[in-house]
Amino acid sequence: MTDDSAENWMALPRQVDGISLNAGIGLGRAVLHPSYGMKTPPDEGSVRRDSRKDELIRIDDALVQMVEEIQTLISQQANSLLSKTQPTSQAESLDILKIYLLLANDPGWRGQLRQKVQEGASAVDAVDQTLESIQKKLGEKGALSVWQERMSDFQDLSSRLKRYLINSVARPRGEDGDSPIIVVADRIGPAELLDYDRERLAGLVLVEQSHTSHVAIVGRSLEIPIVGGMKSILTEVAPGDSILVDGNEGRVYIRPVTEVVRRFDVKPSLRKKSSLAPSLEALAPLSSQTLDGVSISLLLNAGLVEDVDYIEAAGAEGVGLYRTEIPFMMRSKLPNVAEQTKLYREILKRARDYPVVFRTLDVGGDKVLPYLERLRSESPMMEQRANRVFFDRPILLRYQLRALIRACGGCELTIMLPMIAEANEVQAAREILDGEVERERARGNLIPTKIRLGAMVEVPSLVFQLPQLFSHVDFLSVGSNDLFQFFYAIDREYPKLSNRYDVLSPTFLSLLKSIQDQCQLAQIPLSVCGEMAGRPLEALALIGLGYRTLSMSAAAVPTIKNLVRNLTYQEISDYMSVVVPSHRSIRQSLRHFARDHGIYRD
Ligand code: PEP
Ligand code: MG
């Protein structure tokens, strides 16, 4: 290709397919987000100073400014969360910023920065060298996304810190003016995304493609369309190019022709919303019942105390999964029994009379506790996780159960155990629970009026032990995120394989059906609390298989309630009973079924 033809090619309209990371349509001018390796403009501050003491002061000052800036982002996010009448995924995004703040205060990182300066590096060089050694260390840990995520968090923090060091604290705004912008990035941290003017941010196009990356989660909380997996995007887009992001189809139109723009009818008011999100206020008080009168119970998944406030606004019937590890992840040391009791009391107070299912600590895996270094491992998903940690260190479970019993004195307590692989593990946990109840009773403390103990079905081996398990549990909940990853032997955080297997494959569905059939026969209450419960087609399939309780993020409840209210149970049940086992996935056919029956259109 000659230079001329290359230039011409860069001016032509293009359509590039990727992966949808958030629905919605966005149109705006491209802003190429600078990647970390890009040279920062030289200025007086980037030149090495004679005195190491001065450099240390520079580093310390920059760290103080940076932490203040992150704290401001956190309070902005928290305020906007409070001002919402509707639940959003902003709570999750707030979690991420809090973890980010923990990293910014990480003594290890700060120590390394100072050490590099002591060894003779300038403040700016110290940031680069420290990042390099973190990258090397995390790189050695393997390709798991939990480490990649940490890596991009440190990249984000490093570029932020450098901005202060070279006195270039201006926030990126995109091009001048107030027209909408589409941010195109190779790598971008969650806080960096929040630096862009939120009013102008109309979409995000990423080279990376993980649904669970921090930037994707924060992007979803901003309700912008996101398309990932766009490997060559940086060579195809020039700054200022017009870009249309179709987050519904996972497609990006570069320099789109007028007809394409017209087809999408991108009105500013629609730009940031998934066109399907039904009005929450209208649906919240309505019952979650199918057209032929079958009730489907919709519950919330929560991880922050604030999430619990949304039960009523979302129109849910309680909390089906409270991930107790989230508050643990945001602290610099293990909370003691008194601190945990206070937290659980607060959750119950906010839930008022609605039921809450407390899941015991599911640490390890992608949920790393900074103070439990020993849990870090090469294979975090399958080594020391959840109850396996407890069997090594039962005191962790003992303290958590003690706190839950104390917080719930005089009321009903529901506890759920994650990552159970064998029925006898529940029995062991129940013995610890009984011991703690006796301990409290002997001390004259108020104990719960009733305790229900359940387990999550997340490890395939458990499906083959359900008859033995039934005598130990009061209920079960399918953790489809983990069940799916262990069923297909596919790391749930590993994006490259995320499109190869489908939760709507007849094979996985037959596993789910077997769980449902066995529970129904034994009259053991059953729910699903993995991500699939909050996705329309997946929820439809689950209902067709006989699942009557679904637990999901608050933001998903209205869409699922709307779907339930538009469907006839008998029809979907009949449809699911004739699933063809030889097909790879029923997704497409279920989509047609949903459209043809006026249930749901995506
Ligand atoms: C699951 O595995 O489906 C689940 C709900 O648990 P988590 O996503 O917290 O592992
Ligand atoms: Mg799980």
Side-chain angles (χ1 to χ4, degrees), residues 64-133:
V64 168
Q65 289 180 64
M66 187 181 75
V67 164
E68 277 173 7
E69 187 188 52
I70 298 171
Q71 273 162 341
T72 309
L73 283 178
I74 289 179
S75 33
Q76 279 170 356
Q77 196 80 351
N79 284 342
S80 105
L81 184 65
L82 282 178
S83 67
K84 297 259 168 187
T85 53
Q86 300 186 3
T88 69
S89 50
Q90 245 157 352
E92 217 179 337
S93 159
L94 193 59
D95 282 355
I96 287 172
L97 287 175
K98 287 182 179 170
I99 292 171
Y100 201 67
L101 186 61
L102 267 185
L103 293 179
N105 284 316
D106 180 60
W109 183 56
R110 288 174 166 235
Q112 274 195 55
L113 289 170
R114 301 185 108 249
Q115 193 188 334
K116 300 280 181 211
V117 173
Q118 307 274 26
E119 288 167 2
S122 71
V124 172
D125 287 349
V127 177
D128 286 336
Q129 290 171 13
T130 304
L131 181 65
E132 251 169 56
S133 70

Side-chain angles (χ1 to χ4, degrees), residues 323 359 362 367 385 418-419 456 458 479 481-483 492:
R323 292 181 162 107
R359 178 174 77 179
D362 182 9
K367 297 147 190 160
R385 257 193 87 176
M419 289 296 293
M456 289 183 77
E458 305 189 275
N481 306 339
D482 275 312
L483 187 63
R492 66 191 254 186

Side-chain angles (χ1 to χ4, degrees), residues 283 286-296 540 543 548 560-573 593-594 596-600:
L283 280 166
L286 303 180
S287 69
S288 171
Q289 225 179 47
T290 63
L291 294 171
D292 47 350
V294 176
S295 292
I296 307 293
L540 187 57
I543 294 168
R548 299 282 174 90
I560 303 300
K561 190 184 269 192
N562 202 36
L563 173 144
V564 168
R565 293 176 60 81
N566 282 310
L567 86 97
T568 303
Y569 175 75
Q570 199 51 54
E571 284 175 359
I572 184 63
S573 171
F593 175 90
D596 295 347
H597 289 74
I599 299 169
Y600 174 79

Side-chain angles (χ1 to χ4, degrees), residues 284 286-289 294-301 308 310-320 351 353-357 548-552 557 561 564:
L286 303 180
S287 69
S288 171
Q289 225 179 47
V294 176
S295 292
I296 307 293
S297 189
L298 305 183
L299 302 168
L300 289 195
N301 287 351
V308 179
Y310 290 120
I311 300 175
E312 237 166 60
E317 295 172 29
V319 176
D353 286 336
Y354 289 101
V356 178
V357 177
R548 299 282 174 90
T549 305
L550 304 176
S551 191
M552 62 201 74
V557 175
K561 190 184 269 192
V564 168

Side-chain angles (χ1 to χ4, degrees), residues 308-470:
V308 179
D309 295 339
Y310 290 120
I311 300 175
E312 237 166 60
E317 295 172 29
V319 176
L321 166 65
Y322 189 89
R323 292 181 162 107
T324 58
E325 62 277 0
I326 306 281
F328 280 68
M329 287 164 72
M330 284 159 26
R331 288 168 189 253
S332 52
K333 63 183 189 26
L334 198 70
N336 61 27
V337 177
E339 286 165 332
Q340 287 190 55
T341 309
K342 190 165 165 239
L343 180 73
Y344 304 143
R345 273 203 188 117
E346 177 66 21
I347 292 164
L348 289 165
K349 192 174 119 207
R350 288 184 187 228
R352 290 179 285 156
D353 286 336
Y354 289 101
V356 178
V357 177
F358 287 97
R359 178 174 77 179
T360 53
L361 267 184
D362 182 9
V363 291
D366 59 338
K367 297 147 190 160
V368 178
L369 300 186
Y371 40 86
L372 283 184
E373 260 302 311
R374 230 160 51 74
L375 296 186
R376 289 185 191 276
S377 83
E378 278 296 321
S379 183
M381 291 293 178
M382 291 194 288
E383 281 187 25
Q384 286 293 30
R385 257 193 87 176
N387 58 300
R388 298 176 185 181
V389 178
F390 294 152
F391 294 134
D392 257 15
R393 303 178 66 171
I395 197 72
L396 282 176
L397 179 62
R398 222 174 257 295
Y399 282 175
Q400 185 171 35
L401 293 176
R402 194 174 297 171
L404 284 166
I405 292 166
R406 286 187 186 166
C408 207
C411 67
E412 279 191 20
L413 171 61
T414 309
I415 297 169
M416 181 159 78
L417 303 163
M419 289 296 293
I420 295 294
E422 297 219 306
N424 63 17
E425 292 168 1
V426 177
Q427 202 179 351
R430 193 181 276 279
E431 279 165 21
I432 296 181
L433 176 63
D434 290 346
E436 284 303 316
V437 172
E438 276 322 305
R439 187 178 184 278
E440 289 305 295
R441 204 197 305 271
R443 289 171 174 238
N445 291 339
L446 196 59
I447 56 167
T449 48
K450 185 175 173 190
I451 301 183
R452 292 171 71 238
L453 182 65
M456 289 183 77
V457 185
E458 305 189 275
V459 183
S461 61
L462 201 61
V463 183
F464 300 91
Q465 302 171 61
L466 291 181
Q468 296 94 293
L469 185 66
F470 288 149

